[in-house]
Amino acid sequence: APIIAVKLLGTSVVKHALKKVGTQFLYRPSRLLGAMGTKNNQETTWTEALDAVHFDPYRPGMEGCFRCPVNCRPLNHLNDDAGDKYGRGDGPEYVTLGKFGPNLGIASVESIIRLNNICNDLGLDTSSTGSALSWAFELYQRGIIGTAETGGLELVWGDAALVEKLLFMMSAREGFGNVLADGTRAVEKGHYPAAALAHRMAVKNLMQSDPHDARILKAFALGLAVSTRGMDHLRNRVTLEINARINDDAAFKQELYGSPVSAEPNSYVGKESAVRACENTYAVGDSVGMCRFTTKLFNSPSLPGFEQFAPQLRNVTGLDFTEESLPAIGLNIIGVERMINARLGMTRKDDTLPARWFEEPIAVGQYAGEKIDRDEFDAMLSRFYAVSSLDGEGHPAGELRARLDTLLAGDQTQRPDHGPRV
């Protein structure tokens, strides 16, 4: 659609940074802010040697999804050895760079590219894989596990050759690779002692999906805590909270999120409104098949959102969607997901964060000393429930619950072959 194309091509981040180097450009600002998960989030910054510019010599070009105007996927080329299938490929994206660089104490561009290509070949998700590895490395560092558990392997930060070996062991569930392959369930499966849970960077049994350390960014932290599928930044990542231009314009920020939101990224004031707005927008964007990097609020305030989704939906479906009706549909989507989670036993206690972020302050940058205050977080979570029509346990209530019950009952009446209602 012309409106979307104009907005995409007119957005500097999308047009220039993503189109030129892909998501790798995000590494440097995270590093400088002190919000880069390092060594399983024990530290929060890492070397400038992994800034996107150092990947330039190994990036022969960019590709993307079919007819995408951005093409944010970097290609890589390490060598010309035709027999080395890991010498070239797609990536690494920012998540892989973060999870296999600072997260594992690796500072070599070449090593990260090779590990990226191996994961691609083995079909391993780099986010969960990198998180499972760093958790094990910290447990070894602290003596919670030792060579008796690892099969004689010494898990030393920065050992790229060992990480490569562990990737193949994971894919084959061989030796200690079988433990790593169980991911967040390693304690439940009896591989690690209960003490290991204090160092697990996960919410709702999902390891953190991106490399950001959110102790500074309170809205980002809340989004990870309330995400319906666990510690997933794609549900409601409020990255615009670190955009100085937006924070300096209180009126624009209020228009963007629908309520006043503090300009300070480390403030708790109003952040529930920012998370609510992002969650609604992303849920609708997912439903219409929109890439997150070309969806409003993810990295830019000027990308396509409800204003553009509504006429597109009318054109495609013939149904009368309006810009004003779509936020409620986004809330409906999340509401159904929370009803499913409720049936699985999830309550307020599951809308939380790793213990480290509450207990250990970061040590670098302009926000040194920052952590998540438990009382402030709890109050912010209660406010989020209130603006989301959820009860005290995080379950749909009142008008939202009545609306969802009606919609779900109607769906079963019209399509009885789709199985029992959730």
Side-chain angles (χ1 to χ4, degrees), residues 279-310:
E279 202 169 62
N280 289 347
T281 302
Y282 301 163
V284 174
D286 284 342
S287 298
V288 300
M290 200 72 179
C291 169
R292 183 66 81 249
F293 275 98
T294 55
T295 302
K296 186 175 183 177
L297 301 182
F298 194 68
N299 279 310
S300 169
S302 59
L303 289 170
F306 298 135
E307 180 184 354
Q308 290 73 40
F309 295 158

mmCIF file of all heavy atoms in Angstrom, residues 279-310:
data_model
loop_
_atom_site.group_PDB
_atom_site.id
_atom_site.type_symbol
_atom_site.label_atom_id
_atom_site.label_comp_id
_atom_site.label_asym_id
_atom_site.label_seq_id
_atom_site.Cartn_x
_atom_site.Cartn_y
_atom_site.Cartn_z
ATOM 1 N N GLU A 279 1.469 -3.329 23.482
ATOM 2 C CA GLU A 279 0.894 -4.672 23.418
ATOM 3 C C GLU A 279 -0.301 -4.711 22.469
ATOM 4 O O GLU A 279 -0.452 -5.643 21.667
ATOM 5 C CB GLU A 279 0.491 -5.124 24.821
ATOM 6 C CG GLU A 279 0.383 -6.621 24.974
ATOM 7 C CD GLU A 279 0.241 -7.050 26.421
ATOM 8 O OE1 GLU A 279 -0.755 -6.658 27.059
ATOM 9 O OE2 GLU A 279 1.109 -7.787 26.906
ATOM 10 N N ASN A 280 -1.155 -3.699 22.539
ATOM 11 C CA ASN A 280 -2.304 -3.634 21.628
ATOM 12 C C ASN A 280 -1.856 -3.531 20.177
ATOM 13 O O ASN A 280 -2.373 -4.227 19.291
ATOM 14 C CB ASN A 280 -3.179 -2.419 21.971
ATOM 15 C CG ASN A 280 -3.929 -2.588 23.275
ATOM 16 O OD1 ASN A 280 -4.011 -3.674 23.831
ATOM 17 N ND2 ASN A 280 -4.480 -1.493 23.763
ATOM 18 N N THR A 281 -0.900 -2.638 19.917
ATOM 19 C CA THR A 281 -0.439 -2.417 18.549
ATOM 20 C C THR A 281 0.225 -3.660 17.982
ATOM 21 O O THR A 281 -0.026 -4.056 16.839
ATOM 22 C CB THR A 281 0.547 -1.226 18.506
ATOM 23 O OG1 THR A 281 -0.095 -0.059 19.015
ATOM 24 C CG2 THR A 281 1.019 -0.959 17.086
ATOM 25 N N TYR A 282 1.078 -4.296 18.771
ATOM 26 C CA TYR A 282 1.796 -5.468 18.270
ATOM 27 C C TYR A 282 0.858 -6.661 18.051
ATOM 28 O O TYR A 282 1.045 -7.442 17.110
ATOM 29 C CB TYR A 282 2.918 -5.854 19.229
ATOM 30 C CG TYR A 282 3.949 -4.777 19.477
ATOM 31 C CD1 TYR A 282 4.804 -4.830 20.561
ATOM 32 C CD2 TYR A 282 4.063 -3.666 18.627
ATOM 33 C CE1 TYR A 282 5.742 -3.839 20.801
ATOM 34 C CE2 TYR A 282 4.991 -2.671 18.855
ATOM 35 C CZ TYR A 282 5.836 -2.761 19.945
ATOM 36 O OH TYR A 282 6.758 -1.784 20.182
ATOM 37 N N ALA A 283 -0.140 -6.808 18.922
ATOM 38 C CA ALA A 283 -1.081 -7.922 18.756
ATOM 39 C C ALA A 283 -1.848 -7.791 17.446
ATOM 40 O O ALA A 283 -2.034 -8.764 16.711
ATOM 41 C CB ALA A 283 -2.055 -7.975 19.936
ATOM 42 N N VAL A 284 -2.290 -6.569 17.134
ATOM 43 C CA VAL A 284 -2.989 -6.342 15.871
ATOM 44 C C VAL A 284 -2.013 -6.492 14.702
ATOM 45 O O VAL A 284 -2.336 -7.098 13.680
ATOM 46 C CB VAL A 284 -3.647 -4.948 15.847
ATOM 47 C CG1 VAL A 284 -4.255 -4.661 14.475
ATOM 48 C CG2 VAL A 284 -4.735 -4.871 16.920
ATOM 49 N N GLY A 285 -0.819 -5.943 14.854
ATOM 50 C CA GLY A 285 0.187 -6.082 13.797
ATOM 51 C C GLY A 285 0.491 -7.531 13.483
ATOM 52 O O GLY A 285 0.614 -7.922 12.308
ATOM 53 N N ASP A 286 0.631 -8.355 14.530
ATOM 54 C CA ASP A 286 0.854 -9.790 14.309
ATOM 55 C C ASP A 286 -0.308 -10.407 13.541
ATOM 56 O O ASP A 286 -0.123 -11.259 12.664
ATOM 57 C CB ASP A 286 1.008 -10.509 15.652
ATOM 58 C CG ASP A 286 2.366 -10.270 16.285
ATOM 59 O OD1 ASP A 286 3.298 -9.847 15.574
ATOM 60 O OD2 ASP A 286 2.496 -10.508 17.502
ATOM 61 N N SER A 287 -1.516 -9.999 13.872
ATOM 62 C CA SER A 287 -2.709 -10.580 13.260
ATOM 63 C C SER A 287 -2.831 -10.253 11.773
ATOM 64 O O SER A 287 -3.369 -11.047 11.004
ATOM 65 C CB SER A 287 -3.964 -10.096 13.996
ATOM 66 O OG SER A 287 -3.948 -10.508 15.346
ATOM 67 N N VAL A 288 -2.330 -9.084 11.393
ATOM 68 C CA VAL A 288 -2.394 -8.729 9.970
ATOM 69 C C VAL A 288 -1.119 -9.128 9.232
ATOM 70 O O VAL A 288 -0.963 -8.869 8.048
ATOM 71 C CB VAL A 288 -2.658 -7.221 9.771
ATOM 72 C CG1 VAL A 288 -3.972 -6.820 10.399
ATOM 73 C CG2 VAL A 288 -1.516 -6.369 10.326
ATOM 74 N N GLY A 289 -0.174 -9.772 9.963
ATOM 75 C CA GLY A 289 1.042 -10.267 9.315
ATOM 76 C C GLY A 289 2.114 -9.217 9.130
ATOM 77 O O GLY A 289 2.963 -9.335 8.244
ATOM 78 N N MET A 290 2.118 -8.194 9.974
ATOM 79 C CA MET A 290 3.077 -7.101 9.845
ATOM 80 C C MET A 290 4.389 -7.454 10.539
ATOM 81 O O MET A 290 4.392 -7.944 11.671
ATOM 82 C CB MET A 290 2.501 -5.834 10.481
ATOM 83 C CG MET A 290 3.153 -4.563 10.017
ATOM 84 S SD MET A 290 2.658 -4.196 8.320
ATOM 85 C CE MET A 290 3.549 -2.664 8.055
ATOM 86 N N CYS A 291 5.502 -7.205 9.874
ATOM 87 C CA CYS A 291 6.809 -7.384 10.488
ATOM 88 C C CYS A 291 6.936 -6.434 11.663
ATOM 89 O O CYS A 291 6.541 -5.270 11.593
ATOM 90 C CB CYS A 291 7.909 -7.101 9.461
ATOM 91 S SG CYS A 291 9.570 -6.969 10.169
ATOM 92 N N ARG A 292 7.520 -6.899 12.763
ATOM 93 C CA ARG A 292 7.628 -6.051 13.933
ATOM 94 C C ARG A 292 8.489 -4.822 13.659
ATOM 95 O O ARG A 292 8.229 -3.734 14.182
ATOM 96 C CB ARG A 292 8.218 -6.848 15.107
ATOM 97 C CG ARG A 292 8.303 -6.089 16.398
ATOM 98 C CD ARG A 292 6.937 -5.721 16.986
ATOM 99 N NE ARG A 292 6.356 -6.841 17.696
ATOM 100 C CZ ARG A 292 5.290 -7.497 17.279
ATOM 101 N NH1 ARG A 292 4.672 -7.143 16.165
ATOM 102 N NH2 ARG A 292 4.799 -8.516 17.949
ATOM 103 N N PHE A 293 9.507 -4.960 12.829
ATOM 104 C CA PHE A 293 10.387 -3.825 12.561
ATOM 105 C C PHE A 293 9.748 -2.786 11.650
ATOM 106 O O PHE A 293 10.304 -1.717 11.439
ATOM 107 C CB PHE A 293 11.718 -4.297 11.969
ATOM 108 C CG PHE A 293 12.702 -4.698 13.023
ATOM 109 C CD1 PHE A 293 12.864 -6.026 13.373
ATOM 110 C CD2 PHE A 293 13.442 -3.737 13.684
ATOM 111 C CE1 PHE A 293 13.765 -6.395 14.360
ATOM 112 C CE2 PHE A 293 14.341 -4.099 14.684
ATOM 113 C CZ PHE A 293 14.504 -5.436 15.021
ATOM 114 N N THR A 294 8.598 -3.098 11.108
ATOM 115 C CA THR A 294 7.870 -2.104 10.320
ATOM 116 C C THR A 294 6.519 -1.795 10.968
ATOM 117 O O THR A 294 5.569 -1.407 10.297
ATOM 118 C CB THR A 294 7.657 -2.595 8.874
ATOM 119 O OG1 THR A 294 7.003 -3.873 8.878
ATOM 120 C CG2 THR A 294 8.991 -2.727 8.155
ATOM 121 N N THR A 295 6.454 -1.970 12.300
ATOM 122 C CA THR A 295 5.238 -1.688 13.053
ATOM 123 C C THR A 295 5.464 -0.506 13.989
ATOM 124 O O THR A 295 6.504 -0.415 14.639
ATOM 125 C CB THR A 295 4.807 -2.920 13.878
ATOM 126 O OG1 THR A 295 4.600 -4.027 13.006
ATOM 127 C CG2 THR A 295 3.512 -2.647 14.639
ATOM 128 N N LYS A 296 4.514 0.377 14.062
ATOM 129 C CA LYS A 296 4.606 1.573 14.905
ATOM 130 C C LYS A 296 4.934 1.210 16.358
ATOM 131 O O LYS A 296 4.468 0.183 16.863
ATOM 132 C CB LYS A 296 3.280 2.333 14.846
ATOM 133 C CG LYS A 296 3.288 3.677 15.559
ATOM 134 C CD LYS A 296 1.972 4.412 15.334
ATOM 135 C CE LYS A 296 1.984 5.791 15.972
ATOM 136 N NZ LYS A 296 0.739 6.545 15.714
ATOM 137 N N LEU A 297 5.743 2.035 16.985
ATOM 138 C CA LEU A 297 6.148 1.971 18.386
ATOM 139 C C LEU A 297 7.327 1.045 18.633
ATOM 140 O O LEU A 297 7.987 1.154 19.667
ATOM 141 C CB LEU A 297 4.992 1.557 19.321
ATOM 142 C CG LEU A 297 3.754 2.440 19.338
ATOM 143 C CD1 LEU A 297 2.742 1.912 20.358
ATOM 144 C CD2 LEU A 297 4.120 3.875 19.663
ATOM 145 N N PHE A 298 7.649 0.141 17.713
ATOM 146 C CA PHE A 298 8.734 -0.802 17.987
ATOM 147 C C PHE A 298 10.081 -0.082 17.970
ATOM 148 O O PHE A 298 10.871 -0.216 18.877
ATOM 149 C CB PHE A 298 8.720 -1.952 16.988
ATOM 150 C CG PHE A 298 9.580 -3.108 17.413
ATOM 151 C CD1 PHE A 298 9.235 -3.869 18.514
ATOM 152 C CD2 PHE A 298 10.729 -3.449 16.713
ATOM 153 C CE1 PHE A 298 10.022 -4.936 18.925
ATOM 154 C CE2 PHE A 298 11.513 -4.517 17.110
ATOM 155 C CZ PHE A 298 11.163 -5.264 18.219
ATOM 156 N N ASN A 299 10.363 0.647 16.928
ATOM 157 C CA ASN A 299 11.588 1.443 16.867
ATOM 158 C C ASN A 299 11.331 2.872 16.414
ATOM 159 O O ASN A 299 12.240 3.696 16.422
ATOM 160 C CB ASN A 299 12.608 0.801 15.923
ATOM 161 C CG ASN A 299 13.375 -0.328 16.584
ATOM 162 O OD1 ASN A 299 13.902 -0.172 17.665
ATOM 163 N ND2 ASN A 299 13.414 -1.475 15.932
ATOM 164 N N SER A 300 10.120 3.161 15.986
ATOM 165 C CA SER A 300 9.818 4.478 15.458
ATOM 166 C C SER A 300 8.354 4.820 15.722
ATOM 167 O O SER A 300 7.494 3.943 15.700
ATOM 168 C CB SER A 300 10.077 4.507 13.944
ATOM 169 O OG SER A 300 9.556 5.670 13.360
ATOM 170 N N PRO A 301 8.068 6.100 15.954
ATOM 171 C CA PRO A 301 6.678 6.508 16.153
ATOM 172 C C PRO A 301 5.936 6.740 14.843
ATOM 173 O O PRO A 301 4.738 7.011 14.856
ATOM 174 C CB PRO A 301 6.824 7.826 16.921
ATOM 175 C CG PRO A 301 8.101 8.394 16.409
ATOM 176 C CD PRO A 301 9.013 7.207 16.193
ATOM 177 N N SER A 302 6.628 6.648 13.712
ATOM 178 C CA SER A 302 6.004 7.016 12.438
ATOM 179 C C SER A 302 5.770 5.847 11.503
ATOM 180 O O SER A 302 5.394 6.026 10.352
ATOM 181 C CB SER A 302 6.876 8.073 11.728
ATOM 182 O OG SER A 302 8.181 7.571 11.492
ATOM 183 N N LEU A 303 5.983 4.637 11.980
ATOM 184 C CA LEU A 303 5.716 3.461 11.158
ATOM 185 C C LEU A 303 4.217 3.141 11.147
ATOM 186 O O LEU A 303 3.449 3.690 11.925
ATOM 187 C CB LEU A 303 6.516 2.274 11.698
ATOM 188 C CG LEU A 303 8.028 2.345 11.466
ATOM 189 C CD1 LEU A 303 8.738 1.261 12.257
ATOM 190 C CD2 LEU A 303 8.365 2.217 9.988
ATOM 191 N N PRO A 304 3.781 2.248 10.287
ATOM 192 C CA PRO A 304 2.350 1.913 10.201
ATOM 193 C C PRO A 304 1.770 1.376 11.500
ATOM 194 O O PRO A 304 2.356 0.510 12.143
ATOM 195 C CB PRO A 304 2.328 0.839 9.104
ATOM 196 C CG PRO A 304 3.520 1.140 8.266
ATOM 197 C CD PRO A 304 4.566 1.599 9.212
ATOM 198 N N GLY A 305 0.603 1.910 11.853
ATOM 199 C CA GLY A 305 -0.108 1.459 13.034
ATOM 200 C C GLY A 305 -1.587 1.336 12.728
ATOM 201 O O GLY A 305 -1.981 1.034 11.593
ATOM 202 N N PHE A 306 -2.437 1.598 13.719
ATOM 203 C CA PHE A 306 -3.876 1.417 13.538
ATOM 204 C C PHE A 306 -4.425 2.246 12.374
ATOM 205 O O PHE A 306 -5.321 1.802 11.659
ATOM 206 C CB PHE A 306 -4.613 1.798 14.824
ATOM 207 C CG PHE A 306 -4.252 0.965 16.011
ATOM 208 C CD1 PHE A 306 -3.999 1.555 17.242
ATOM 209 C CD2 PHE A 306 -4.169 -0.415 15.907
ATOM 210 C CE1 PHE A 306 -3.670 0.793 18.343
ATOM 211 C CE2 PHE A 306 -3.843 -1.197 17.005
ATOM 212 C CZ PHE A 306 -3.578 -0.590 18.222
ATOM 213 N N GLU A 307 -3.895 3.428 12.181
ATOM 214 C CA GLU A 307 -4.383 4.307 11.120
ATOM 215 C C GLU A 307 -4.245 3.657 9.751
ATOM 216 O O GLU A 307 -5.111 3.818 8.879
ATOM 217 C CB GLU A 307 -3.604 5.628 11.145
ATOM 218 C CG GLU A 307 -4.025 6.621 10.074
ATOM 219 C CD GLU A 307 -3.166 7.869 10.064
ATOM 220 O OE1 GLU A 307 -2.303 8.009 10.969
ATOM 221 O OE2 GLU A 307 -3.334 8.711 9.160
ATOM 222 N N GLN A 308 -3.155 2.907 9.557
ATOM 223 C CA GLN A 308 -2.937 2.247 8.273
ATOM 224 C C GLN A 308 -3.561 0.852 8.234
ATOM 225 O O GLN A 308 -3.998 0.384 7.181
ATOM 226 C CB GLN A 308 -1.432 2.142 7.975
ATOM 227 C CG GLN A 308 -0.768 3.465 7.675
ATOM 228 C CD GLN A 308 -0.606 4.336 8.920
ATOM 229 O OE1 GLN A 308 -0.284 3.839 9.996
ATOM 230 N NE2 GLN A 308 -0.849 5.622 8.774
ATOM 231 N N PHE A 309 -3.597 0.163 9.387
ATOM 232 C CA PHE A 309 -4.166 -1.188 9.415
ATOM 233 C C PHE A 309 -5.657 -1.187 9.067
ATOM 234 O O PHE A 309 -6.146 -2.076 8.356
ATOM 235 C CB PHE A 309 -3.985 -1.825 10.793
ATOM 236 C CG PHE A 309 -2.560 -2.080 11.193
ATOM 237 C CD1 PHE A 309 -2.219 -2.205 12.527
ATOM 238 C CD2 PHE A 309 -1.567 -2.205 10.240
ATOM 239 C CE1 PHE A 309 -0.907 -2.441 12.911
ATOM 240 C CE2 PHE A 309 -0.246 -2.446 10.610
ATOM 241 C CZ PHE A 309 0.085 -2.568 11.951
ATOM 242 N N ALA A 310 -6.388 -0.202 9.576
ATOM 243 C CA ALA A 310 -7.846 -0.190 9.399
ATOM 244 C C ALA A 310 -8.264 -0.172 7.930
ATOM 245 O O ALA A 310 -9.060 -1.030 7.504
ATOM 246 C CB ALA A 310 -8.454 0.993 10.152
#
